[in-house]
Amino acid sequence: TGHLGKDNESVFAVRFMGPRAYIVTFERTDPFYIYDVADPADMKELGKLEIPGFSSYLHPVTIDGVPMILGVGEEVDEESGVRVGLKISLYNITDAANPTENAKYVDEGAYSTAGHDFKSLRFLTVNQKLIVPKNEYTYTDNDNFDGFVVYDIALGSITESFDIEHASSYDMYHGCWYDAYMPPRSFVFQSKLTTILSHSVISTNLAGGEQLWSLNLDEGLNNTVCSSYF
């Protein structure tokens, strides 16, 4: 095939499902393409959607019986091209010729590694919850965050259920930390959500968001050998 998308656009995400490919390109807006790739030598564009920002990871889901694609990426100002924050999109792909953005959630100033580390994201099919790592760093001791956010996903709606803070804003800036940290991972067993991130492990009640226990792996670290949090 020739160049996908418009001039100067780059491919940011691809998801193959059967004979179709779902492709995101980006320069200032996020064209979301659906291609028929049954014949790889003769790919055919079926439909596209142009919206601000971009998705860098695409995850197939079914919401109330409707086939959808979850996109995790970044919201970008359409005029200036300046990054706004973390963006989660729900694309309706029922009509391949006319895909639509069914729901969108933007967390201004936030960032997620899920865009390039797909193992850090988890979608729970039964209760339709999305678990995504999130961080913010202000270079002060205020408004920093490192942890996970649990979202409720429904047709036409992406809402935050609760977040899990793996370190306080103050400690992230002033604390003494080991020079290694763990990548974000999560798993669920018997309605208990365990999250692993940076320097700690936390267990949370998935239903209500209450913390069950936590483990700081850097506790008791020799304070003469300190590294920054990230």
Side-chain angles (χ1 to χ4, degrees), residues 139-186:
Y139 298 95
T140 72
D141 56 15
N142 294 314
D143 300 322
N144 299 305
F145 182 86
D146 190 42
F148 288 79
V149 181
V150 178
Y151 299 93
D152 290 316
I153 309 297
L155 290 178
S157 174
I158 301 172
T159 57
E160 182 176 332
S161 179
F162 61 88
D163 62 37
I164 302 168
E165 184 182 70
H166 272 250
S168 72
S169 177
Y170 182 90
D171 286 346
M172 286 174 64
Y173 186 73
H174 292 287
C176 178
W177 304 98
Y178 188 59
D179 62 359
Y181 60 92
M182 297 178 294
R185 296 293 184 265
S186 65

Side-chain angles (χ1 to χ4, degrees), residues 36-102:
D36 183 340
V37 294
D39 180 359
D42 186 25
M43 294 171 53
K44 295 181 174 62
E45 181 183 313
L46 302 178
K48 68 178 179 179
L49 169 69
E50 292 195 20
I51 49 178
F54 63 88
S55 296
S56 47
Y57 177 67
L58 300 175
H59 190 84
V61 297
T62 299
I63 306 296
D64 298 334
V66 180
M68 307 284 244
I69 294 280
L70 265 173
V72 178
E74 298 185 4
E75 179 78 340
V76 175
D77 183 273
E78 193 170 356
E79 297 298 324
S80 66
V82 174
R83 180 186 179 278
V84 175
L86 170 66
K87 174 186 176 182
I88 301 172
S89 294
L90 189 62
Y91 301 106
N92 188 332
I93 56 171
T94 305
D95 180 1
N98 185 37
T100 60
E101 188 176 48
N102 180 262

